[in-house]
Amino acid sequence: AGTPRHRDPGRSWRNTAAWKRASARQITRQPWCTDCRHTGSPDNPLTCDHVVPVAAGGPIWDRMNHTTRCRRCNSAKGGVVA
């Protein structure tokens, strides 16, 4: 049934120091969830999400393609353009 998403070699950028820095910068620029306005908590932290998913051809490093979402909203969005 295919490779699990977290083991997909095309997603290797997610665990890099560069992505962690880009993610932290995005959350600093916008410290609330785009969808629900949540400001983050230990059980529902803020994440950096791609507006156009990388799997759909969205650019990984273009900050115009980054937005802040809490983990719940990011998971609910899945891999769709938002």
Side-chain angles (χ1 to χ4, degrees):
T3 303
R5 280 184 70 194
H6 69 282
R7 295 194 185 218
D8 180 353
R11 295 170 59 89
S12 61
W13 52 268
R14 292 190 58 151
N15 293 320
T16 64
W19 176 249
K20 290 175 185 175
R21 285 191 304 272
S23 180
R25 281 193 301 268
Q26 172 59 36
I27 293 167
T28 298
R29 279 193 300 274
Q30 182 191 325
W32 64 88
C33 176
T34 297
D35 298 334
C36 72
R37 301 292 199 205
H38 179 64
T39 57
S41 64
D43 66 322
N44 189 21
L46 295 176
T47 65
C48 181
D49 187 27
H50 290 95
V51 177
V52 177
V54 174
I60 296 171
W61 303 107
D62 183 352
R63 69 184 250 186
M64 297 303 293
N65 192 39
H66 297 167
T67 191
T68 304
R69 285 197 169 84
C70 69
R71 182 180 293 157
R72 286 186 191 119
C73 289
N74 196 347
S75 293
K77 174 187 164 260
V80 298
V81 176

